[in-house]
């Protein structure tokens, strides 16, 4: 491109600096005589557009992360209620009565009711995503393992472990979704959270109850475990 006529060395230096600082602007802007105020407005508009693009990109990524969090909560509640419709099979499997088999569901609610009180303190020291990064795979492993244990006591222990992991996931998910939100946006994410927990509890009972006619507990446990790994 030809140099603009009668441009001083200082003017050329300033233009070069402008091209370097604002590479997204068309080149002709820097080589067309413009008032200083107009040039500043154009540059500020370019920076604003760039920042809006970055914000929109981060928002899109954040929303995609939210989807996986909602799905993970759904599967977690499926895991919580998965044994309930299969108590007869589990009672026969471990040679226990049905009330004893029912305790496999009840025992997970003991830490689920107590643990969130202490997990809230840990969230002040540990990032919520870090907790989810470890708790979700551990829950998946515990669920898969529960499909292959042969004693009632071992199954009770694994369900208790699941009961301690579930509130960690639930508390961390709520903390992450509520972080930096207020008003309508906070109401939106909390409403979706509640909807997914209810649907997860229903799906856990329905799916496990439906497929128990075709498969055994091992495959049910592996199915929910695989879904947990898929949303981790």
């Amino acid at each position: 491109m030809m140099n603009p006529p009668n441009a001083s060395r200082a003017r050329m230096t300033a233009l070069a600096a402008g091209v370097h600082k604002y590479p997204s602007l068309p080149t002709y802007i820097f080589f067309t005589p413009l008032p200083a105020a107009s040039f500043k407005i154009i540059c500020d508009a370019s920076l604003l557009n760039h920042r809006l693009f970055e914000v929109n990109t981060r928002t899109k990524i954040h929303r995609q992360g939210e989807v996986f969090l909602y799905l993970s909560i759904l599967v977690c509640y499926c895991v919580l209620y998965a044994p309930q419709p299969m108590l007869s099979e589990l009672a026969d499997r471990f040679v226990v009565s049905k009330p004893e088999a029912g305790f496999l569901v009840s025992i997970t609610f003991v830490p689920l009711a107590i643990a969130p009180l202490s997990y809230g303190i840990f969230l002040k020291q540990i990032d919520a995503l870090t907790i989810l990064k470890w708790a979700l795979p551990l829950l998946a492993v515990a669920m898969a393992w529960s499909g292959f244990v042969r004693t009632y006591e071992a199954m009770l222990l694994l369900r208790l472990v699941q009961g301690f992991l579930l509130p960690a996931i639930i508390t961390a998910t709520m903390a992450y979704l509520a972080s930096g939100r207020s008003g309508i946006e906070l109401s939106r994410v909390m409403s979706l959270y509640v909807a997914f927990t209810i649907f997860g509890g229903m799906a856990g009972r329905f799916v496990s109850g439906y497929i128990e006619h075709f498969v055994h507990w091992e495959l049910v446990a592996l199915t929910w475990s695989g879904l947990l790994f898929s949303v981790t």
Side-chain angles (χ1 to χ4, degrees), residues 89-109:
E89 180 186 334
L90 292 173
D92 295 337
R93 179 187 181 91
F94 298 115
V95 195
V96 294
S97 65
K98 286 187 178 180
E100 288 177 310
F103 195 56
L104 294 172
V105 178
S106 303
I107 195 172
T108 56
F109 285 91

Side-chain angles (χ1 to χ4, degrees), residues 5-45:
N6 303 321
S8 65
R9 185 179 299 276
R11 172 67 174 166
M12 292 298 296
T13 302
L15 289 174
V19 172
H20 177 71
K21 185 175 181 181
Y22 306 99
S24 61
L25 290 178
T27 306
Y28 70 83
I29 289 177
F30 299 100
F31 293 98
T32 303
L34 289 173
S38 299
F39 180 78
K40 184 177 185 302
I41 291 173
I42 293 172
C43 294
D44 289 345

Side-chain angles (χ1 to χ4, degrees), residues 81-82 85 199-213 224:
Y81 291 102
F199 185 74
M202 180 186 69
R205 297 182 182 96
F206 175 78
V207 175
S208 296
Y210 178 76
I211 63 178
E212 73 162 331
H213 300 291
W224 295 125

